[in-house]
């Protein structure tokens, strides 16, 4: 997600005071199951993964193998019938299990075709199958519900509004951080990934789009059309995109023949074309530094909304129209930021929300580097300014790898985290830094990875040079004060107040 402010939303990013921090270094740890789990007796799956930010996000006891989402879209801001079919495998002998689900009217739940017991508390939907599920057994859950495309939630940080985001003739979705549960029942945590099949039925004058590839379009009764998409690769629930509206689909080609698909409201095709056409150049620039783009296709979804920020929804980044109607420098910063996320945060997913600095820090780092080379501000100057503010950000928002939930998407996770990477590059040199970056996106491609794993990998890669990278990164990521910047003894940190 980019927090670079277009002129209309600059005031939204003013820094606010916050509280001290208590996050974990490694990924989330599932709650313990009851004693019967060891001897094969059925036990409940954990109702959450214990993430330091959102302890009840995600669920234990099973692995999702695929989601199949059927949406019978009717009209903007109008509830509609929906069914989520979840193909899963039990990872323990399960007596019951949970799904993250909020904001919609539940109708029926079945497990392998048999009616299941249900209860709801907050965002937790507890499902009790008619018979226990043996460890290792595949099973299918079908949840029938009414989806409400007006459901949103709010945060007092860069995210602001998330969930279903209405447009004049339909919707886009903004599921970060944990708004996917407003769209469909899920194992809603960034470390939990699964492929998704979308089947979206709309009036014939509307178009539906989603992550991945269009695999079918068929007429339905009543002058309606069903659109079927396959995500192709597994994705985290926070990266799901589903949009409906009067769209023009603009096809193109990136490096090495990569299919490109922009999704643009009809009236915005021409006004946004100049900047959208820069995607092949952005891809080539990032591939030169990071290696091949990690997915089968890419594109930009232009949001006809007042949404304040863009989002790196996998293979189809959501970019608000305002970001594409201003200056080229501003537009490219946002476009490169979301594209860089396809490597950092999408292909290599977050093991825990405490690891957000890895994702947002890298996206901001490459955004700033690209912008300097294409008419934007000096990268060094912006990092020097971030260095001056870093102790204040540590006090207000927590160290880069130690956020608290209210301060998760505050300035420290963006320029403050890019500064950590800038310091690492200054420490090890550009050649070694590039080796670390390529090793990270290669080794953990298609997986979730943690801060601990980034530190370990950087230490191994740079270890041949005899540098103590772990000892260098720990105070940058977790310390109460900002360490000296290598190569810049004149840089000064302002005292925190």
């Amino acid at each position: 997600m980019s927090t670079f402010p277009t002129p209309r939303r600059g005031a939204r990013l003013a820094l606010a005071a916050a509280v001290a921090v208590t996050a974990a270094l490694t990924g989330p740890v599932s709650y313990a199951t009851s004693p019967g789990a060891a001897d094969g007796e059925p036990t409940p799956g954990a109702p959450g993964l214990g993430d330091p930010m959102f302890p009840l996000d995600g669920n234990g006891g099973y692995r999702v193998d695929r989601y199949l989402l059927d949406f019978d879209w009717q009209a903007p801001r109008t509830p509609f019938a929906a069914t989520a079919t979840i193909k899963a495998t039990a990872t323990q002998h399960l007596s019951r299990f949970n799904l993250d689900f909020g904001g919609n009217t539940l109708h029926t739940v079945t497990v392998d075709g048999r009616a299941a017991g249900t209860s709801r508390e907050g965002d937790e939907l507890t499902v009790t199958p008619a018979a226990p599920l043996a460890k290792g057994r595949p099973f299918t859950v079908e949840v029938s519900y009414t989806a409400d495309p007006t459901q949103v939630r709010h945060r007092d940080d860069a995210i602001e509004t998330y969930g279903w985001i209405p447009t004049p003739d339909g919707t886009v979705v903004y599921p970060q951080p944990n708004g996917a549960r407003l769209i469909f029942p899920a194992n809603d945590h960034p470390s939990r990934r699964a492929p998704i099949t979308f089947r979206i039925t709309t009036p014939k004058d509307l178009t539906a789009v989603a992550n991945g590839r269009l695999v079918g379009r068929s007429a339905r009764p009543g002058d309606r059309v069903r659109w079927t998409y396959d995500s192709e690769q597994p994705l985290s629930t926070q990266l799901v995109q589903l949009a409906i509206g009067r769209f023009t689909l603009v096809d193109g080609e990136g490096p090495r023949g990569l299919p490109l698909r922009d999704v643009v409201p009809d009236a915005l095709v021409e006004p946004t074309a100049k900047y959208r056409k820069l995607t092949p150049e952005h891809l080539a620039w990032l591939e030169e530094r990071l290696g091949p783009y990690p997915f089968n296709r890419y594109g930009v979804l232009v949001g006809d909304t007042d949404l304040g920020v863009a989002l790196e929804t996998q293979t189809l980044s959501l970019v608000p129209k305002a970001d594409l109607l201003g200056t080229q420098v501003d537009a490219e910063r946002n476009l490169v930021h979301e594209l860089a996320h396809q490597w950092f945060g999408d292909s290599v997913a977050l093991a825990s929300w405490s690891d957000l600095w890895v994702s947002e820090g890298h996206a901001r780092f490459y955004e700033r580097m690209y912008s300097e080379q294409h008419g934007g501000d000096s990268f060094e100057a912006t990092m020097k300014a971030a260095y001056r503010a870093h102790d204040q950000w540590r006090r207000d928002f927590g160290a880069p790898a130690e956020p608290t939930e209210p301060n998760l998407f505050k300035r420290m996770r963006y320029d403050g985290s890019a500064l950590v990477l800038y310091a690492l590059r200054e420490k090890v040199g550009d050649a070694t830094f590039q080796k670390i970056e390529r090793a990270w996106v290669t080794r953990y491609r298609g997986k979730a990875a943690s801060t601990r794993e980034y530190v370990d990998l950087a230490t191994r890669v740079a270890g041949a040079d005899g540098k103590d990278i772990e000892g260098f990164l720990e105070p940058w990521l977790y310390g109460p004060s900002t360490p000296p910047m290598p190569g810049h003894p004149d840089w000064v940190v302002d005292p925190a107040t």
Side-chain angles (χ1 to χ4, degrees):
M1 180 196 74
S2 172
T3 63
F4 176 64
T6 54
R8 70 183 175 86
R9 68 174 189 267
R12 299 181 180 183
L13 298 178
L15 302 182
V19 294
V21 210
T22 58
L25 175 65
T26 58
V29 178
S30 296
Y31 295 155
T33 55
S34 57
D39 57 20
E41 294 179 12
T43 55
L49 297 177
D51 188 281
M53 303 300 103
F54 306 100
L56 288 176
D57 282 10
N59 302 285
Y62 64 94
R63 177 190 70 245
V64 175
D65 300 315
R66 178 172 286 273
Y67 296 99
L68 296 96
L69 306 180
D70 286 275
F71 290 159
D72 192 18
W73 174 269
Q74 298 300 314
R77 302 178 183 273
T78 302
F80 60 90
T83 301
T85 303
I86 303 167
K87 295 184 179 295
T89 300
T91 56
Q92 69 182 62
H93 196 182
L94 273 176
S95 59
R96 65 175 186 264
F97 58 91
N98 282 32
L99 294 167
D100 299 307
F101 186 53
N104 296 285
T105 303
L106 180 68
H107 298 308
T108 62
V109 180
T110 64
V111 177
D112 291 335
R114 301 174 68 184
T118 61
S119 64
R120 295 185 74 176
E121 182 176 353
D123 287 345
E124 295 296 320
L125 169 60
T126 302
V127 179
T128 304
L133 302 170
K135 181 178 180 180
R137 173 186 163 182
F139 64 97
T140 300
V141 185
E142 185 173 288
V143 182
S144 173
Y145 61 102
T146 298
D148 182 354
T150 67
Q151 288 291 329
V152 296
R153 292 182 180 174
H154 302 276
R155 292 181 56 85
D156 292 328
D157 57 17
I159 295 289
E160 298 182 349
T161 301
Y162 64 103
W164 294 95
I165 307 298
T167 63
D169 47 25
T171 190
V172 297
V173 298
Y174 197 107
Q176 194 181 67
N178 54 7
R181 66 196 59 189
L182 304 180
I183 316 300
F184 62 100
N187 199 347
D188 193 9
H189 187 269
S191 67
R192 299 303 189 249
R193 305 151 64 96
I196 302 179
T197 299
F198 303 84
R199 294 190 289 245
I200 309 159
T201 302
T202 70
K204 67 177 183 179
D205 61 336
L206 298 182
T207 298
V209 297
N211 309 85
R213 179 172 66 95
L214 177 65
V215 295
R217 182 180 182 276
S218 59
R220 307 294 292 173
D223 282 337
R224 294 173 66 76
V225 177
R226 171 180 284 177
W227 309 79
T228 302
Y229 288 86
D230 182 354
S231 70
E232 299 183 290
Q233 288 98 4
L235 70 163
S236 303
T237 48
Q238 63 139 341
L239 303 174
V240 166
Q241 186 51 257
L242 160 71
I244 296 159
R246 291 183 174 85
F247 295 132
T248 297
L249 306 184
V250 183
D251 292 328
E253 187 174 288
R256 297 168 290 99
L258 179 75
L260 300 180
R261 171 198 56 161
D262 289 344
V263 179
V264 193
D266 292 345
L268 294 171
V269 173
E270 287 305 317
T272 63
K274 178 181 176 181
Y275 301 153
R276 289 188 295 100
K277 289 178 180 178
L278 297 171
T279 296
E281 178 183 332
H282 298 160
L283 279 160
W285 188 88
L286 284 165
E287 286 192 337
E288 182 181 349
R289 287 152 182 81
L290 301 172
Y293 174 76
F295 299 110
N296 294 343
R297 62 199 72 249
Y298 185 66
V300 170
L301 166 62
V302 180
D304 189 3
T305 75
D306 291 328
L307 191 67
V309 288
L311 183 63
E312 63 272 18
T313 42
Q314 190 164 301
T315 71
L316 184 61
S317 291
L318 172 61
V319 180
K321 61 184 178 182
D323 291 358
L324 299 171
L325 297 175
T327 70
Q328 183 164 332
V329 166
D330 291 350
E332 289 197 271
R333 281 189 58 186
N334 285 292
L335 289 166
V336 170
H337 184 106
E338 304 312 330
L339 180 53
H341 268 307
Q342 303 300 311
W343 282 267
F344 299 99
D346 291 24
S347 176
V348 182
L350 306 178
S352 113
W353 279 112
S354 298
D355 305 311
L356 182 64
W357 81 271
V358 182
S359 172
E360 294 297 350
H362 274 100
R364 181 56 54 89
F365 181 91
Y366 288 104
E367 163 206 328
R368 290 284 191 188
M369 183 189 297
Y370 180 92
S371 186
E372 178 186 56
Q373 296 176 13
H374 294 80
D377 294 337
S378 160
F379 190 15
E380 181 176 316
T382 59
M383 291 296 94
K384 185 176 182 179
Y387 188 79
R388 293 185 68 92
H390 221 246
D391 273 5
Q392 188 69 53
W393 293 347
R394 284 174 190 267
R395 175 175 173 171
D396 291 346
F397 309 133
E402 287 190 324
T404 56
E405 188 275 330
N407 301 312
L408 185 56
F409 292 92
K410 291 291 180 72
R411 191 69 174 270
M412 181 57 97
R413 253 51 68 190
Y414 299 92
D415 283 303
S417 297
L419 185 70
V420 177
L421 299 169
Y422 186 89
L424 177 60
R425 189 181 69 170
E426 295 296 286
K427 172 74 171 178
V428 302
D430 188 63
T432 299
F433 181 76
Q434 287 192 40
K435 289 179 183 177
I436 293 169
E437 297 290 273
R438 286 210 177 214
W440 176 255
V441 298
T442 301
R443 179 178 183 130
Y444 294 106
R445 178 173 177 169
K447 302 175 184 177
S450 68
T451 298
R452 178 76 263 163
E453 286 164 312
Y454 185 84
V455 172
D456 287 348
L457 182 142
T459 299
R460 286 194 302 273
V461 172
D465 299 329
K467 295 184 173 68
D468 177 17
I469 300 306
E470 181 174 1
F472 174 79
L473 283 174
E474 291 286 337
W476 274 98
L477 292 169
Y478 299 103
S481 59
T482 306
M485 175 60 71
H488 297 277
D490 58 318
W491 285 19
V492 178
V493 182
D494 289 340
T497 61

